[in-house]
Amino acid sequence: MSLASWWRRTLTVAGTVVLTVTVSAASDPAAQALREQAESHERHGDWDKALDAYSELLRRDHAAETQQRYFHCLRRYYQILRHQDASYRKEVLSLDYGQSLRLYSRIRDTLLDFALDKKRVTPARLFEQGLNELDAALANPQFIQQHLPGRQLEAAAFRDYLKKKYPPRDRLNRGQVETQIREIALAAQDILQLNPTVTIMELACGSGYAVDNYTAYLTPDQLRELVDALKGETASGMMVASVAFANDSKAPEIGYLRILSFQESTLQELDDALDKLVKSEIKALILDLRGNPGGIVEVAIEAAKRFLSEGIIATVESQDPKYSTVYYAREPAPFALPMSVLIDSDTASAAEVLAGALKENDRARIVGQ
């Protein structure tokens, strides 16, 4: 049995470890059923269902193999969404060959120039991840049906050609990568009659994964939706509140405040909520950040200042020192009542900044995982 199938269960009482048991994941019927379910969905290309199953499995089994399968399905899910997106087809795939090459160069240069880990994020690594994305597309029945109808066998042969012609290499400069991208795009056009812009964009979209598992390409509509969400707007133009608050009816001296996301209106909503809670004479506050996916980091930093009189909130490091910044709290009259912060596995990005600042400055107790 592989090491990935084992996990540890630790029982603690009052902070003291009283029992540690090593258990085989195979002995957990629920976990085994989830794994079989996830693998079945993956084999059938039901990426959203596979993601749900792997996500639930990760709550039980943190093995590297399970995480690997989860992120593989996530990439395939993003790829399907991209090609189903009308804005991507209309606004991006309509670009001509020269325009798509220039767009790839912009994406490549952005990823390389702003990467903190220069040893990891290299032109060769970007190219390798782009090839992986193109290979996955050429193996995807939905992609073939949309872009290569009736050419499934040719697509399979072209995948083999790419693997032999462009094996992974440690060293490639930007110019060499661009030359190879031109070769691949023109070869796909000649052999498969595949629009070269489609090929180049698969290489571009995959390159983001050279940074990490979460750096993904956004279609025009996805970007517009993100911008609207950060403004606190829905597609219909309606404003959506990002802060909710209340007093516990059973313990009115305990205030409850939940931040759903960090958008342009959050700070005003937060100030209003804190003002009303203080006027209700609460003696302590529960700040709920569970399920908060993040948003505008600067808003989260300003939110932290509402609770901290001093201390470091966050540090931004850049390859260019002029972009490196340390954010300090210097508030003469912050909210000073005792606090607990609720988090979970979906507390992410800007929400982690706030939770981390409160924890590291001993301002609040963090509850959750």
Side-chain angles (χ1 to χ4, degrees):
M1 184 176 295
S2 69
L3 290 176
S5 65
W6 293 84
W7 55 283
R8 295 175 67 82
R9 176 179 295 163
T10 302
L11 175 65
T12 63
V13 177
T16 302
V17 176
V18 295
L19 178 65
T20 300
V21 183
T22 301
V23 187
S24 167
S27 67
D28 183 348
Q32 184 62 26
L34 274 171
R35 184 177 299 282
E36 291 173 0
Q37 185 181 15
E39 292 172 352
S40 175
H41 290 316
E42 188 176 350
R43 284 194 300 272
H44 291 89
D46 294 329
W47 305 113
D48 53 342
K49 295 178 181 178
L51 275 173
D52 289 341
Y54 277 124
S55 180
E56 183 60 32
L57 182 60
L58 280 171
R59 298 178 188 275
R60 301 167 177 267
D61 174 15
H62 297 287
E65 180 185 354
T66 304
Q67 295 180 36
Q68 219 172 31
R69 299 318 306 166
Y70 172 84
F71 285 117
H72 170 76
C73 293
L74 185 63
R75 295 184 187 190
R76 303 290 65 79
Y77 178 65
Y78 284 161
Q79 190 174 56
I80 292 294
L81 287 184
R82 184 165 69 242
H83 287 279
Q84 289 177 344
D85 191 314
S87 70
Y88 180 71
R89 298 195 302 269
K90 182 178 179 180
E91 300 177 43
V92 179
L93 296 187
S94 63
L95 297 174
D96 63 31
Y97 173 64
Q99 290 173 320
S100 60
L101 275 175
R102 287 192 290 275
L103 178 55
Y104 178 90
S105 296
R106 287 284 299 276
I107 293 172
R108 175 204 63 200
D109 291 345
T110 299
L111 293 172
L112 291 174
D113 294 342
F114 290 93
L116 195 61
D117 188 350
K118 294 292 187 182
K119 292 182 179 180
R120 173 179 173 81
V121 186
T122 64
R125 176 75 174 159
L126 264 61
F127 180 63
E128 180 184 350
Q129 291 298 316
L131 275 179
N132 290 342
E133 192 76 0
L134 177 60
D135 179 74
L138 294 172
N140 190 312
Q142 292 171 271
F143 179 91
I144 292 174
Q145 184 177 4
Q146 184 175 352
H147 298 287
L148 299 169
R151 297 190 182 91
Q152 188 169 355
L153 292 178
E154 292 93 329
F158 192 71
R159 291 176 64 202
D160 292 336
Y161 162 78
L162 289 177
K163 290 172 183 176
K164 293 176 183 177
K165 177 78 173 176
Y166 303 99
R169 293 175 59 183
D170 293 333
R171 295 181 181 274
L172 285 173
N173 60 38
R174 300 186 195 203
Q176 289 170 324
V177 167
E178 185 163 330
T179 297
Q180 294 191 353
I181 286 173
R182 289 175 182 268
E183 292 175 356
I184 292 170
L186 294 177
Q189 182 182 38
D190 183 48
I191 297 171
L192 301 176
Q193 288 76 58
L194 180 62
N195 180 349
T197 296
V198 174
T199 302
I200 292 169
M201 287 310 303
E202 288 308 297
L203 294 165
C205 294
S207 64
Y209 298 122
V211 179
D212 54 41
N213 287 311
Y214 302 97
T215 301
Y217 174 88
L218 295 179
T219 68
D221 273 353
Q222 288 172 336
L223 178 59
R224 285 188 281 265
E225 289 171 6
L226 175 61
V227 171
D228 288 343
L230 294 178
K231 292 179 179 178
E233 297 178 1
T234 63
S236 62
M238 295 180 62
M239 297 300 295
V240 178
S242 62
V243 175
F245 66 97
N247 290 81
D248 191 328
S249 58
K250 295 182 180 179
E253 71 278 7
I254 305 295
Y256 171 84
L257 190 152
R258 183 174 188 184
I259 302 180
L260 303 170
S261 64
F262 293 93
Q263 58 194 39
E264 290 182 355
S265 62
T266 299
L267 292 176
Q268 184 60 57
E269 294 177 49
L270 178 59
D271 289 340
D272 292 342
L274 289 174
D275 182 58
K276 291 175 181 177
L277 287 170
V278 169
K279 287 180 179 178
S280 69
E281 299 183 348
I282 62 170
K283 293 182 173 59
L285 178 69
I286 295 173
L287 176 60
D288 192 348
L289 297 178
R290 291 174 299 177
N292 185 322
I296 306 175
V297 175
E298 289 79 3
V299 172
I301 290 171
E302 289 301 315
K305 293 180 181 179
R306 269 59 175 176
F307 303 103
L308 292 168
S309 60
E310 60 182 7
I312 295 176
I313 296 172
T315 302
V316 176
E317 295 183 4
S318 173
Q319 288 289 338
D320 188 340
K322 70 182 180 182
Y323 292 113
S324 296
T325 308
V326 180
Y327 294 92
Y328 294 96
R330 296 189 182 96
E331 299 300 310
F335 178 87
L337 294 176
M339 289 176 59
S340 289
V341 179
L342 305 182
I343 63 169
D344 63 11
S345 59
D346 295 319
T347 303
S349 188
E352 291 177 283
V353 171
L354 175 55
L358 297 177
K359 177 181 182 295
E360 294 304 317
N361 287 284
D362 296 322
R363 174 61 185 88
R365 179 186 179 192
I366 305 297
V367 181
Q369 185 175 9

